[in-house]
Amino acid sequence: SYLIPARVYAQYVVNRRPVKGQKESRYQRYYGLIPSFDADRLPYLFGTEVSYHEDEPARGPKGSLERPRAVEGTLVGFDGASYLVHKKRGGVGRPRHVYPLNEAVLVRRARGAASGATLADAATQTPPPGTELTPPPPVPRVPRPSPLRYRYCRQRIVAQM
């Protein structure tokens, strides 16, 4: 069950954001430090499918299916300076860097949109209603090239005009 890790992860993110109407976060008031969401520790959505590189000793040879170099799993939280990832093949990984695979799909689900739906407004390239449509200008005709005659000469094709 992901209930406890989800609550811990949510509390981690909430404590590092300022409360409405205040300029300080709870973390900043308690520890006296400004929380940092830098490029090393981005707060991805809980449950995001991620990929990460195994540590050198845990890696298998290149192309190995039993001990792959890159592992996929589900992001379930933070542990100190690393992420907590439940591996698909079992176990828990604690990588320092992860690469999200499906975070955009989770964002769409949270907004209530279907997975394949677009989130950006699409504009049509037509004038407003009531204006008269004008046809595009005619395309100029290009003269057709004269057909080439070919003769075969020692397995090479030579074009003659």
Side-chain angles (χ1 to χ4, degrees):
S1 171
Y2 289 120
L3 181 63
I4 301 295
R7 290 186 65 127
V8 170
Y9 189 82
Q11 196 63 39
Y12 177 88
V13 173
V14 165
N15 284 341
R16 281 154 179 78
R17 296 180 64 198
V19 179
K20 187 175 182 179
Q22 296 182 3
K23 295 185 179 187
E24 292 182 327
S25 67
R26 294 177 182 101
Y27 179 89
Q28 188 174 354
R29 279 189 278 152
Y30 187 78
Y31 291 106
L33 302 170
I34 298 173
S36 170
F37 287 127
D38 55 0
D40 288 340
R41 290 272 310 269
L42 292 173
Y44 296 113
L45 288 175
F46 180 86
T48 299
E49 295 293 320
V50 295
S51 173
Y52 67 92
H53 297 288
E54 279 282 14
D55 294 330
E56 291 288 335
R59 289 184 189 175
K62 288 186 179 180
S64 172
L65 296 177
E66 289 80 31
R67 292 177 46 208
R69 292 172 164 246
V71 179
E72 290 184 5
T74 305
L75 180 70
V76 293
F78 294 111
D79 183 25
S82 60
Y83 293 97
L84 274 177
V85 178
H86 280 217
K87 298 179 187 179
K88 285 188 176 181
R89 296 180 178 226
V92 176
R94 290 175 171 79
R96 183 144 174 86
H97 304 285
V98 296
Y99 306 97
L101 300 176
N102 72 338
E103 189 178 31
V105 173
L106 292 174
V107 169
R108 288 187 185 124
R109 287 184 191 157
R111 290 186 180 178
S115 296
T118 179
L119 295 178
D121 293 334
T124 59
Q125 297 181 356
T126 57
T131 57
E132 189 173 323
L133 296 177
T134 57
V139 178
R141 299 198 71 133
V142 178
R144 191 173 191 179
S146 62
L148 298 175
R149 286 190 255 150
Y150 294 98
R151 69 181 169 91
Y152 293 91
C153 176
R154 293 188 187 168
Q155 298 180 349
R156 286 190 303 168
I157 299 176
V158 180
Q160 292 180 345
M161 290 293 242

